Amino acid sequence: MRPSGPVTRSAVIVSAAILISACSTPSLTQVRQFGNESAALSASAKHAFTYLDQLEIQRKLYTLASDPKDGPTDSTFTGFFETLPDRQTGQKDPRKQALALRLDLLAGLASYASALQSLAAANYAADIDSASGELNGALVSLGKTYQAATGNDIGLSTEDFGLIATAVNAAGKGYAMARQRDAIRAVVRAADPAVQKAAALIATDLGPDSGLALYAQNAAGLSRGALQIAYNRDRTRADSTFDNRLARLEQIRTMYRAQQGAGALFSDVSKGTRAMAKAHAELVRAVDSKAMSSAGLAQTLAELQAYVKSVQAFQDSVALAGK
């Protein structure tokens, strides 16, 4: 039996209202993308620097293996950036400490961005509660790391944490999209000064001309030189084989690529962090609009994504040289 006219018209009106509401609902896609790309930058940078560390350790092992008169020490198993206290002074290398803290700071920014992404992706009150805990922990950790790196406060006050908690808790009570967007707006506004401070420190101290970048490049150069000395010493030995020499030359080539690419790696991490800060500033403006997105934010996110790919390409190129 066909429905009556009034019922049909009512159904059409309701469907249209739902469609209009869905079309006008602000998209949180760019908020989620900010979280994804920021986390990717941090993870890629960590992997690249860890790879440099492993190359340095491998170099030490090669050198030791070629000289039976020498033996390993604790420092044999540490790379460019791992910090162990000096046996005599008990002090750690300040350059390695500085780099480790700045990479921790980048990881802290990524943790915040990931928690923000979780809040934007939340579909239920329980998801919002979980994201709230992640946000609080990430921002507290970010502040502590910044304090350790600079001796200064990052600027997140008790009042800021209170505003964030109030907004997120409101979103979690009887989940509603409007309250979710209000929570994101409150978080982004309160966190932006801290994000800008942390990003500025990383971008400056990990720049291509920074002391840390020059230290890494010099260390890679010294490692390559040590490998070449060991190769030239051993290549005429009676037990030297083609396969042995080829493996050593491939290792030297890998270290050469790492040395040549270290400056670009630091530059991409620095510029990528600046792009992250710029994207967060654009995000502040976007969440203040009804659309929760903007063309400016889309462009900046594209820039951030490009730097993520460049950092990933460094490790790929160095790994390829070693194959």
Side-chain angles (χ1 to χ4, degrees):
M1 184 175 68
R2 296 178 62 185
S4 63
V7 173
T8 302
R9 285 194 297 273
S10 297
V12 170
I13 291 170
V14 170
S15 298
I18 292 173
L19 181 61
I20 292 170
S21 175
C23 291
S24 62
T25 298
S27 172
L28 298 178
T29 299
Q30 288 185 338
V31 180
R32 293 192 291 269
Q33 188 180 357
F34 171 77
N36 288 333
E37 296 301 339
S38 298
L41 177 67
S42 174
S44 299
K46 182 179 180 180
H47 289 159
F49 286 118
T50 299
Y51 193 73
L52 279 176
D53 250 13
Q54 293 306 309
L55 288 178
E56 167 64 353
I57 294 170
Q58 195 173 10
R59 189 273 305 174
K60 292 179 181 180
L61 297 180
Y62 267 113
T63 304
L64 275 178
S66 70
D67 188 357
K69 297 177 183 178
D70 204 359
T73 64
D74 288 349
S75 64
T76 301
F77 308 105
T78 62
F80 295 134
F81 312 122
E82 187 176 353
T83 56
L84 285 179
D86 183 88
R87 283 182 174 273
Q88 294 181 336
T89 65
Q91 300 296 313
K92 294 182 178 181
D93 187 324
R95 295 167 300 184
K96 293 184 177 184
Q97 272 192 301
L99 180 59
L101 280 171
R102 278 141 189 83
L103 292 179
D104 286 346
L105 202 58
L106 181 58
L109 284 174
S111 294
Y112 157 73
S114 294
L116 187 64
Q117 190 272 343
S118 296
L119 179 59
N123 291 318
Y124 302 99
D127 297 335
I128 291 176
D129 289 342
S130 176
S132 174
E134 291 177 28
L135 276 166
N136 188 71
L139 291 173
V140 169
S141 178
L142 187 68
K144 288 181 178 178
T145 306
Y146 187 83
Q147 176 79 35
T150 67
N152 298 318
D153 189 83
I154 201 169
L156 280 170
S157 65
T158 303
E159 182 181 358
D160 291 327
F161 281 106
L163 288 172
I164 292 173
T166 299
V168 176
N169 287 340
K173 292 179 180 177
Y175 168 77
M177 292 187 69
R179 287 197 290 273
Q180 181 188 30
R181 294 192 297 274
D182 288 343
I184 291 171
R185 188 175 293 112
V187 170
V188 170
R189 282 174 173 170
D192 188 61
V195 170
Q196 300 303 325
K197 281 185 179 182
L201 179 67
I202 297 167
T204 299
D205 289 359
L206 295 188
D209 299 321
S210 66
L212 291 175
L214 295 176
Y215 161 71
Q217 286 177 292
N218 290 337
L222 289 172
S223 293
R224 180 169 67 91
L227 278 176
Q228 290 178 187
I229 290 171
Y231 174 84
N232 288 326
R233 183 188 63 212
D234 298 339
R235 63 190 171 86
T236 57
R237 285 171 40 168
D239 59 350
S240 176
T241 66
F242 172 82
D243 288 342
N244 239 338
R245 292 193 299 274
L246 181 60
R248 185 65 60 86
L249 286 170
E250 287 175 343
Q251 179 64 16
I252 292 171
R253 179 174 177 241
T254 300
M255 192 60 75
Y256 172 78
R257 292 290 294 271
Q259 179 188 4
Q260 295 300 306
L265 171 63
F266 275 84
S267 178
D268 287 334
V269 172
S270 172
K271 291 177 180 177
T273 306
R274 290 190 191 281
M276 186 195 303
K278 182 180 175 183
H280 197 273
E282 289 286 350
L283 190 57
V284 173
R285 287 187 280 273
V287 298
D288 281 337
S289 71
K290 292 183 179 180
M292 298 287 285
S293 60
S294 72
L297 178 54
Q299 181 179 348
T300 310
L301 287 172
E303 293 173 10
L304 175 56
Q305 187 178 54
Y307 288 121
V308 170
K309 290 180 179 179
S310 293
V311 173
Q312 292 169 339
F314 165 81
Q315 184 175 340
D316 292 341
S317 67
V318 174
L320 183 62
K323 292 182 180 179

